[in-house]
Amino acid sequence: MAFISRGFRGKRRDTASGSRVPPGQHVVDDFPVLSAGPTPRVPLSEWSFSIVGELDEPKTWTWDEFRRLPSETVSVDIHCVTKWSKLDTSWTGVSVETILEGVETAADYAVAYCDGGYTTNLPVDDLRGRQAWIAFEYDGQPLDPEHGGPARLLVPHLYLWKSAKWVRGISLQAEDEPGFWESNGYHNRGDPWREQRYWGD
Amino acid sequence: MRQSDLKLDGNAIAGLLREIFTMEMTNAESTCAGCGKVHAVGRVDVYLNAPGVVVRCPACEQVLMRIVRGRGRYWIDLTGTRCLEFKE
């Protein structure tokens, strides 16, 4: 239970970091947990990650195989559509660029799918170019299940609902297919700098 | 915060549903399109710490309703609710 009033924040970071905070957002220091359902808990021995859909052969990695892929640690700002932003968050993961290396596909669209049934759709271009990762560590520690562990998609240049928790694979598709929130009011792309929150934004 | 703190019951959205349906809905009965079980709306599982409200079947955890509110509009998905029964 917090006994300090919400208005009593000490030094405000919003102003100093203004150019890093998209319109309508405010900076938080904690890491709020958002969840659309129960937290799935899959043992690593049963976990796998797959690329399916528009490619010659679906590809699948076990946890051990996935962890042997080259990974990197990145520091990024994250922006949730519920209006909080968190600056300088540190994640370790495998870039989607690395995962898609050698994958021949004509697909323009992708759907990330997850344990628990969550989905989110993105243009493949938003996943390539070292701007999206399958992250398995936060702040140097294994990713907590509450935050999407063992692994979540991380696409920090889009609103955080695109950074699907408990991700298990990516389906490459010729046609765009709106995901869990995109099919019910939320914006199809979700660029925080354009405040693409809802349909019609 | 742990998961148990995030899951509420249907009473948590009594006000929201009254706004949408303009009547008390917690005694309404919803049939899950997935498993067919019937639950009073007051007893379903509700997740509020999300971009929208997610209502799930307490028996099979399938989504019964998704309610998003923004820009002065509602978006309501009831595909997971096969039937919603309530008194006039």
Side-chain angles (χ1 to χ4, degrees), chain A residues 1-155:
Chain A
M1 183 69 75
F3 291 98
I4 298 171
S5 98
R6 286 190 60 183
F8 203 80
R9 286 158 165 264
K11 186 175 71 171
R12 281 187 74 91
R13 295 169 67 194
D14 310 37
T15 317
S17 48
S19 61
R20 291 171 62 184
V21 183
Q25 299 289 109
H26 67 274
V27 174
V28 297
D29 289 319
D30 60 339
F31 193 165
V33 173
L34 270 74
S35 197
T39 299
R41 289 170 200 275
V42 175
L44 295 180
S45 58
E46 289 167 29
W47 187 92
S48 63
F49 187 85
S50 302
I51 301 289
V52 301
E54 300 274 323
L55 70 171
D56 289 345
E57 282 279 318
K59 296 176 77 169
T60 297
W61 294 264
T62 64
W63 177 256
D64 290 338
E65 289 164 347
F66 170 74
R67 288 302 313 276
R68 281 198 290 273
L69 294 171
S71 61
E72 56 198 47
T73 298
V74 294
S75 176
V76 296
D77 301 340
I78 54 178
H79 311 292
C80 179
V81 74
T82 60
K83 301 201 166 177
W84 56 266
S85 290
K86 189 169 175 58
L87 305 182
D88 302 315
T89 59
S90 172
W91 303 83
T92 303
V94 178
S95 74
V96 179
E97 184 74 42
T98 299
I99 287 167
L100 293 180
E101 239 166 54
V103 170
E104 297 269 333
T105 180
D108 288 328
Y109 301 99
V111 173
Y113 59 91
C114 307
D115 282 317
Y118 186 79
T119 57
T120 189
N121 60 309
L122 308 100
V124 171
D125 283 349
D126 275 316
L127 292 172
R128 287 197 184 270
R130 302 204 111 70
Q131 53 179 342
W133 295 268
I134 308 300
F136 52 83
E137 279 182 10
Y138 174 74
D139 237 353
Q141 299 297 318
L143 188 56
D144 192 286
E146 309 283 316
H147 286 299
R152 76 182 292 170
L153 184 62
L154 176 67
V155 192

Side-chain angles (χ1 to χ4, degrees), chain A residues 33-39 81-82 116 144 146 161 179-181 183-186 195 197-199 201, chain B residues 1-3 6 47-54 56 61 63 66-71 73 75-77:
Chain A
V33 173
L34 270 74
S35 197
T39 299
V81 74
T82 60
D144 192 286
E146 309 283 316
W161 88 75
F180 187 88
W181 289 120
S183 59
N184 198 58
Y186 277 97
E195 269 206 278
R197 298 178 194 273
Y198 303 102
W199 288 5
D201 281 351
Chain B
M1 186 185 282
R2 307 312 296 178
Q3 187 58 44
L6 299 177
Y47 294 84
L48 290 181
N49 289 325
V53 174
V54 180
R56 289 180 182 266
E61 297 185 342
V63 176
R66 288 177 298 168
I67 305 171
V68 170
R69 187 165 150 189
R71 302 273 188 262
R73 311 185 80 80
W75 290 272
I76 303 167
D77 174 14

Side-chain angles (χ1 to χ4, degrees), chain B residues 11-12 20 30 70:
Chain B
N11 293 301
I20 295 168
S30 67

